[in-house]
Amino acid sequence: MSTTQVWERASWPATESEAAEGPRKLPGFVVSSFSPLVAEVADRCLRAHYGEPPAAADDGARTAVVLVSRLGDFATDRAVAKAVDAGRPVQPLLFFQSVPNSVIGHVTTQWQLLGPVVCFSPEGDPEDAALEYADLLFADGEADRALLVLVELATEEGAHGSASALLVAPEDRPTGGERP
């Protein structure tokens, strides 16, 4: 059982029209909506708490980022496999994009989050697993807060999937970091 408190929560899609339009484009990320979804919910969650980027220096310095996905970015994996199977060159951006930490690098740079970065695929409930991992980071003294990003692509062709982000901290920590 997690002893972590949730300070903020954001999700995508928030409306049906948003789902139909897809997530906003993210420069340097092509083919898949995985990375744009990660960036979108992270930005929504952090803006709700901090306002405009970056996070306050003392807050960002010890903020971990945990990316959790059961299936990962299978759309990019599929695009690479199709190119290889057909004997075509693979787009160079797909190599960069195939590493989940790439989009987290984008988020941490924008928000100046300097804590640990972790990406994993849980067997059980993704949110529970992410909260448990945050508890471990807090217990080990690795971070004072964590941005947990959960993302799953839709398995149907043309669908974008869904994502959520939670800004969390140990139960005994005041929420702090708000800006007027």
Side-chain angles (χ1 to χ4, degrees):
M1 184 91 196
S2 176
T3 58
T4 299
Q5 63 179 319
V6 177
W7 287 353
E8 297 294 343
R9 183 184 292 265
S11 63
W12 192 95
T15 64
E16 286 183 33
S17 66
E18 197 173 65
E21 293 171 15
R24 64 185 159 110
K25 300 290 184 210
L26 187 60
F29 294 90
V30 296
V31 177
S32 173
S33 62
F34 185 90
S35 293
L37 285 171
V38 170
E40 182 65 33
V41 294
D43 192 56
R44 288 179 184 189
C45 185
L46 293 168
R47 280 181 192 276
H49 192 73
Y50 295 114
E52 293 298 312
D58 56 334
D59 291 336
R62 294 195 33 87
T63 300
V65 181
V66 179
L67 175 60
V68 180
S69 178
R70 294 183 81 183
L71 299 175
D73 186 358
F74 64 83
T76 296
D77 295 345
R78 191 177 304 147
V80 169
K82 279 183 175 179
V84 170
D85 290 347
R88 293 187 321 261
V90 177
Q91 294 180 40
L93 283 177
L94 293 183
F95 174 75
F96 162 78
Q97 181 176 305
S98 69
V99 179
N101 292 26
S102 297
V103 70
I104 297 302
H106 170 80
V107 170
T108 58
T109 300
Q110 178 183 8
W111 286 92
Q112 295 181 11
L113 307 178
L114 306 175
V117 171
V118 178
C119 300
F120 70 97
S121 180
E123 287 185 23
D125 179 80
E127 187 171 317
D128 288 345
L131 288 166
E132 287 176 21
Y133 203 97
D135 284 342
L136 292 173
L137 290 169
F138 301 148
D140 287 346
E142 296 292 324
D144 295 331
R145 63 194 52 79
L147 176 66
L148 311 178
V149 181
L150 300 91
V151 62
E152 294 301 336
L153 293 179
T155 55
E156 305 87 41
E157 192 69 33
H160 292 288
S162 62
S164 62
L166 297 81
L167 183 62
V168 300
E171 279 184 328
D172 59 351
R173 185 165 310 283
T175 58
E178 295 91 345
R179 293 185 188 169

